[in-house]
Amino acid sequence: MFPQHRVLVPESANQLLSKCAPWKDNACCTANTSAEAHKDNSYLYNFNWDHCGVMSPKCRAHFTQDTCFYECSPHLGPWIQAVDQSWRKERIVDVPLCREDCHSWWEDCKNEYTCKSNWHKGWDWSSGINKCPEGSKCRKWTQVFPTPKAMCEQIWSRSYVYSPLPRSSGRCMRLWFDGPNPNRQVAEFYLNGARRHRGAALTALLLPAVASLSVMMS
């Protein structure tokens, strides 16, 4: 069993909406959170997607999927890190996102405009919602994010890392899927790898001590 960052809420999982529906069988979000994830003006983050003009529906859909993935997925444990910030106490770091997910996200947003490459910080929140900071200007998406890799890794300050592997590899996470959740297998792979790494590191630390003790006793 791998660590989970949120409590499972199966009693409302079958009510998850649209982009959050893939997690209906095993979710860490409520139906209410699912509904908020689909709103343009949501209390979840109070984030203004239209900071450089109205975002197209096809691009906005990917950010809804992104929100559902973060809020609903029970399989992000290997990438959770504690943070000391006023608006959150934990975040995900370097989740390996499948190349198809990054490419389709970038393709559907490449005609949009934005003024920032890191959407986690640096906004002007003086009005209560995020606006472009003074001195910045709206630029075409492809100028700010020239590649899918740049977008996936920069937009949420390394929450994701671009994986060159395809979805079929079973070694990268998917924002969207049909049927059984493939991300469980991926999370277990990385969790087991981390355990093996810690075990090897501990062994490397103990071997010299054991060797010294053997010499002293011989």
Side-chain angles (χ1 to χ4, degrees):
M1 186 68 177
F2 46 88
Q4 295 181 348
H5 62 297
R6 298 180 181 86
V7 177
L8 295 174
V9 284
E11 69 277 3
S12 63
N14 60 357
Q15 302 174 36
L16 299 187
L17 299 178
S18 188
K19 299 293 187 289
C20 296
W23 289 273
K24 61 183 175 57
D25 294 329
N26 193 16
C28 291
C29 61
T30 64
N32 186 54
T33 298
S34 167
E36 288 295 323
H38 291 75
K39 294 180 179 179
D40 288 335
N41 298 303
S42 168
Y43 73 78
L44 290 178
Y45 310 114
N46 200 31
F47 194 85
N48 174 27
W49 307 105
D50 301 332
H51 54 269
C52 278
V54 178
M55 181 179 284
S56 68
K58 67 177 182 178
C59 179
R60 177 71 174 87
H62 288 276
F63 287 96
T64 302
Q65 287 179 329
D66 167 52
T67 301
C68 289
F69 176 81
Y70 178 73
E71 294 289 344
C72 300
S73 176
H75 306 313
L76 293 175
W79 302 281
I80 294 290
Q81 290 189 10
V83 293
D84 185 17
Q85 297 176 335
S86 60
W87 59 287
R88 61 179 178 179
K89 297 303 178 185
E90 63 182 23
R91 61 161 298 187
I92 54 173
V93 177
D94 288 349
V95 176
L97 203 60
C98 294
R99 69 186 187 196
E100 296 97 330
D101 290 70
C102 282
H103 280 263
S104 62
W105 191 348
W106 185 85
E107 282 290 335
D108 285 344
C109 294
K110 66 182 181 182
N111 293 321
E112 309 298 324
Y113 286 80
T114 184
C115 56
K116 285 177 48 58
S117 60
N118 184 345
W119 288 15
H120 259 159
K121 58 185 180 180
W123 297 100
D124 175 1
W125 287 94
S126 59
S127 64
I129 61 171
N130 58 299
K131 293 183 177 180
C132 292
E134 185 177 357
S136 65
K137 64 178 182 179
C138 293
R139 294 182 292 156
K140 193 171 181 180
W141 197 268
T142 51
Q143 292 179 301
V144 179
F145 305 115
T147 64
K149 182 178 187 293
M151 184 203 71
C152 275
E153 295 187 352
Q154 294 175 24
I155 197 164
W156 298 129
S157 58
R158 295 287 297 195
S159 290
Y160 300 122
V161 63
Y162 174 87
S163 173
L165 299 174
R167 291 173 175 175
S168 59
S169 68
R171 298 293 181 264
C172 57
M173 301 289 274
R174 296 169 58 175
L175 292 181
W176 181 260
F177 52 87
D178 295 313
N181 191 336
N183 292 330
R184 180 185 179 91
Q185 175 188 349
V186 180
E188 289 176 340
F189 171 80
Y190 283 96
L191 181 65
N192 291 335
R195 285 172 175 165
R196 287 193 296 270
H197 177 76
R198 287 195 296 269
L202 180 60
T203 300
L205 288 172
L206 291 177
L207 278 177
V210 172
S212 297
L213 182 62
S214 298
V215 170
M216 292 173 62
M217 295 178 65
S218 59

